[in-house]
Amino acid sequence: MLELINIGFRTEEGKEILKSVNLKIEDRFVAITGPNGSGKSTLAKIIAGIYQPTDGQILFNGKDITNMSISERAKLGISFAFQQPVRFKGLKVKDILSIASGGEKNINECCNLLSEVGLCARDYIDRDLDQSLSGGEMKRIEIATLLARNTELNIFDEPEAGIDLWSFQNLIRVFEKMNEKTNGNIIIISHQERILNIADKIIYLKNGTVDRYEDKDSILPTLLAEPSSACKVLTDKMED
């Protein structure tokens, strides 16, 4: 279980991004949404350890991880996927899967992981992690690395960012499958209704604090119906 207690975050210039965020997250699949600038990505990076909160405390399975680094949190079982996956010059897809799992992966294991995210292993296993891969391909390879790690908490920061409609449709299927098969918990930061619709619960951030945290079936219809920035965020269309 992840617990955030009075979490606050201010920039070096003193701008307040998050204030008094209190959450207990233990559901299988939780989505975090809200207007632009509400603090969604900042909150995700605080959970992962990329940013340190300026106020409050973070507990993971009862252990205080507030001052732990991203590496220390990774060892405890927290994984983070960036909006724009990192490309590693000189590494192949099979190399990153082995690194993620903490040991050498054989061809069959790599093939199984890639097939889980809808990629043909024959076409990708020896590909370089460079600019020859599209944004959608990199997103799915990054998800495969999280599957290889088999961690307890998997955090995705706006996975739909920067990909085309075809890739987005495939990404939805990958998350649906991941939700069915993973043994861990998933937190996704997203604006997209189709991603939010997979979640068990939705956290709605507004002005840097938790406005609502409810079951998807309770909160999503009301957010879509509101004539506000929330409605605009949730109904943005992706284009080819």
Side-chain angles (χ1 to χ4, degrees), residues 9 17-18 39-47 51 157:
F9 182 80
I17 307 298
L18 296 171
K40 302 181 300 296
S41 291
T42 298
L43 183 61
K45 290 174 181 176
I46 284 174
I47 294 170
Y51 294 163
D157 186 10

Side-chain angles (χ1 to χ4, degrees), residues 70-179:
I70 187 171
S71 297
E72 291 171 321
R73 296 185 199 200
K75 291 177 182 177
L76 288 178
I78 299 176
S79 293
F80 184 86
F82 291 87
Q83 283 189 29
Q84 301 297 329
V86 180
R87 298 174 189 265
F88 297 94
K89 187 177 181 179
L91 280 183
K92 296 185 181 298
V93 172
K94 62 183 178 183
D95 298 326
I96 198 68
L97 292 176
S98 293
I99 292 169
S101 67
E104 190 68 28
K105 284 286 186 187
N106 61 41
I107 297 299
N108 286 337
E109 290 172 321
C110 289
C111 288
N112 289 337
L113 288 167
L114 291 171
S115 67
E116 287 291 321
V117 297
L119 295 176
C120 176
R122 180 180 60 192
D123 297 335
Y124 287 93
I125 196 167
D126 287 316
R127 291 276 298 274
D128 291 321
L129 293 165
D130 58 18
Q131 298 301 322
S132 68
L133 292 166
S134 70
E137 289 169 328
M138 284 298 300
K139 295 273 188 180
R140 285 192 271 174
I141 290 167
E142 185 176 47
I143 294 171
T145 65
L146 267 65
L147 293 175
R149 291 202 67 220
N150 193 30
T151 44
E152 187 172 345
L153 178 59
N154 303 288
I155 306 166
F156 297 88
D157 186 10
E158 296 195 31
E160 70 269 21
I163 63 173
D164 58 37
L165 180 59
W166 184 88
S167 296
F168 176 70
Q169 291 170 338
N170 281 277
L171 197 65
I172 292 294
R173 287 191 284 271
V174 170
F175 281 125
E176 288 172 338
K177 192 172 183 180
M178 186 178 182
N179 188 30

